[in-house]
Amino acid sequence: MNDPEKTANGELPTRMPHTGGHGPAPRATVAIAFVHGMLAGLRHAGRDPAALLRRAQLAPELLGEATARVPVDRYADLYNLTNQELDDEGFALFSVPMRIGTFEFLCRSVITAPTLAEAIARSIRFLRLVLPDLKVSLSGDAEQARLIIEEMRPLSVGRIFAFEWLLRLLHGLFSWLVGRVLVLDSVSFPYPRPAHADDYALIYTAQSTFDTPTLAASFAANLLDLPIRRDEAALQAFLDGAPGKLTTLYRRDREMVLRVRNVLRESLPGAPSQAAVARALHLSPRTLHRRLEDEGSCFQAVKDALRRDLAISRLAKSTLPIARIAGELGFADTAAFYRAFRRWTGMGPAGYRRKLQSLAQRQPT
């Protein structure tokens, strides 16, 4: 069998917009729709985002590619650069700008809270002062708590991203405060299912519904009793790279997801079953299933995300035949790879590669 890490001859230029990096490890990626949302306020103000994209090492031409994906670390860089350019941590999406430093003061307002419940209560009060366009509240019963986000005035620019952003910001912050992933049992979103909703399974939860009156993120009520485990020293380190770093926190670093991903990657071109992966991790299949579920994922989702990221990386950085890439990723035949790749990106691998090559030729050196 071929070593799946030996990707051979004739590499394309390494500054590829979809993968962007050196070395064999595939980088976690996010859909270009999140970039569009992030830049919506800046573009609405008539400003060209090209310079910011280049500073984040992303090709401006990516904005014209509906199926493009970008490395999550470069997305985090763009997040912070956009905040700085606008002096607005709300991306110019709201009626009142959230000046640089707002997130830091939010963190400082909650760091001394004794429990998660109190940290959420303080966050709600803080956001009421700085973000009048969206109202955050907490409701629920003895079994389930629900974090509610509702529109107080119509959001005319970047509406979907505004909800995505605020939920990600709060979920990432609360998870960091208690030192563990807060598993969201379900989330309902107040808009039709977007084309990039498949990413929600990794960012939020696979249990997402749409077209509801408000955003409601449900989680176990007993999590509200968790103690806050961070202190001032930890906060200083956390603020380095924040708030953009929240896009990576508890996303690609979830322990069980990462361990399963590594086992699957080392097994390529084989395709071990969930039971086989569980044995390799010295777990029962049931325990593995439960731990992945606790992290908001499942075995098939991890497997699909790994294959997708590797496929994009190899299409971008090598001239390997598509049939060989399919074989190295463990597909039974090229047709199965084509079907999967079209499901992931909306287009076939050959067309995707041609677009990558076209963008690479226009990428500034």
Side-chain angles (χ1 to χ4, degrees), residues 189-263:
F189 294 92
Y191 45 80
R193 179 183 173 88
H196 59 286
D198 285 350
D199 278 34
Y200 284 18
L202 186 55
I203 301 170
Y204 310 110
T205 174
Q207 304 305 315
S208 297
T209 56
F210 300 90
D211 276 326
T212 54
T214 63
L215 187 153
S218 299
F219 56 95
N222 60 7
L223 295 176
L224 294 172
D225 298 325
L226 289 173
I228 300 304
R229 300 186 179 278
R230 307 297 186 174
D231 56 19
E232 179 66 24
L235 178 59
Q236 291 301 320
F238 176 65
L239 289 173
D240 183 20
K245 75 186 298 181
L246 284 174
T247 62
T248 60
L249 187 67
Y250 299 116
R251 186 179 191 280
R252 58 189 301 211
D253 297 329
R254 291 179 297 174
E255 179 185 5
M256 191 52 61
V257 167
L258 187 61
R259 290 176 66 190
V260 170
R261 186 177 168 101
N262 287 342
V263 170

Side-chain angles (χ1 to χ4, degrees), residues 315 322 337-339 341-342 345 347-354:
L315 287 170
I322 289 171
F337 176 57
Y338 267 87
R339 288 193 298 271
F341 197 86
R342 184 171 289 278
T345 67
M347 63 190 308
Y352 200 89
R353 172 178 267 170
R354 284 193 297 271

